[in-house]
Amino acid sequence: MRRIEWTCLAVCAALSTALGCNAIWGISEGEGGGAPAAGGAGSAGGAGGAGGNGAGGPPPECPSEPFTGRAPGACQQADGDHDYLSDPENCCVPGRSCLGGACEGGQCQPVVLTTITDDHEALGIAVEGDRDDARVLWASGYGSTIFATEKAAFGATEPLVVLDSIVSMLAHADGSLFITDWSASEVYRIPLEGNITVPTVASAEGEARSRAPVVGNGWVYWITGSSQEPYQEADAPQAPQHIWAARVDQTDQAGLPVLDRHTYVGGLAQDGTHLYWTELEPGGEQSTVRRMALGEPSTPETVASTRVEGDELPGEIAVGERIYWIVGGNIHAANKDGSGAGVLAPADYPARLLTDSTFVYWYSGGDNQLQRVRTSGGAPEPLADSAAYVRSLAQDCRALYWTTWATEEAPASVIKLAK
């Protein structure tokens, strides 16, 4: 088991009265403005969160007709004292709050919750719950720290724990936070109530890399691969991966293989009954969606297949009422029995896929935008510009949350956008 470091937490607590933890850790106080973060392109990251707040888990149980169902072009104009095109507490329709962001043209604008400097980054992200007083949890990569940031604009940020680890991707489920290490195969667990201990849930072969773990039915599932060899070109295809499973209530166990043959895996998701993933055999021409009943590894079944072109690799996957996955420059969809498969929407270098009851959301790398499309299909709709590369994306019923890559022009950030 890797050594847990508590020294920095103790120092922060001792000095917080005079300086504040945010100043000590190089983290800004939240910003109340509505401008999106700025920055440049990057790589790595994955859909953050599980257990209802990210692509790894089922969508949160939200009202069947959220405010997101109204497009800006169909907004009300004005009513008494309310200008629905600019009122941040009644944006587009009465009662729709931008949650601290501005309302411009009936569309809510992003809020920067915190920015990160010094040795910290912002990688995986998860949402602790749907309450307004819940926190956004995020991993700092080489900073080896899990932070918690209040959802509210101007909210505080505090470190939860420091590990001797490159903490990268997160999943929140059953009152605990599950963590994968960029350079190792371990999965850790932090209980978010009571005493904070960080047991190693399981270890496997390879490195966990950039895909978020998934938790369901008392099991955690994660992907491992291996780094590129030193002689490989920087843009060479990533190495094939394996999928592993372990019980969440045990420690220091060996992961059980779900997928024990070399293949490319795009991502994992679950809907409460099954684990889903996308894969492509090396040299193959079909990106395949497979699923397996949650629990101890069993024989998977094929749900759908899509032809790939050139050097395309399988993309991320999200599951709601239907299955949604990325192949090349398109978002695909199918029913869970594989019927009705086809292109849901065209996209430009899509990544960070998740869904709720109304929309499918993703980051478009070609357009540098957060976008969405209705689960029934249609034209993609831009939600927010993000000049900085989006590392991870999560949600609750009212908002999207994401982390951005640090650049010379701007620090890494944690950002919120009302749906």
Side-chain angles (χ1 to χ4, degrees), residues 123-125 139-141 166-170 179-182 208-210:
L123 299 181
I125 189 171
S140 75
I166 305 175
V167 292
S168 55
M169 292 299 149
L170 308 177
I179 308 161
T180 55
D181 182 330
W182 176 263
R209 311 304 290 166
S210 61

Side-chain angles (χ1 to χ4, degrees), residues 211-243:
R211 298 293 185 262
V214 165
V215 183
N217 198 31
W219 287 76
V220 58
Y221 306 90
W222 73 105
I223 299 168
T224 64
S226 59
S227 302
Q228 293 178 338
E229 296 296 331
Y231 58 80
Q232 287 182 294
E233 297 293 332
D235 60 352
Q238 64 189 82
Q241 297 98 31
H242 292 185
I243 302 175

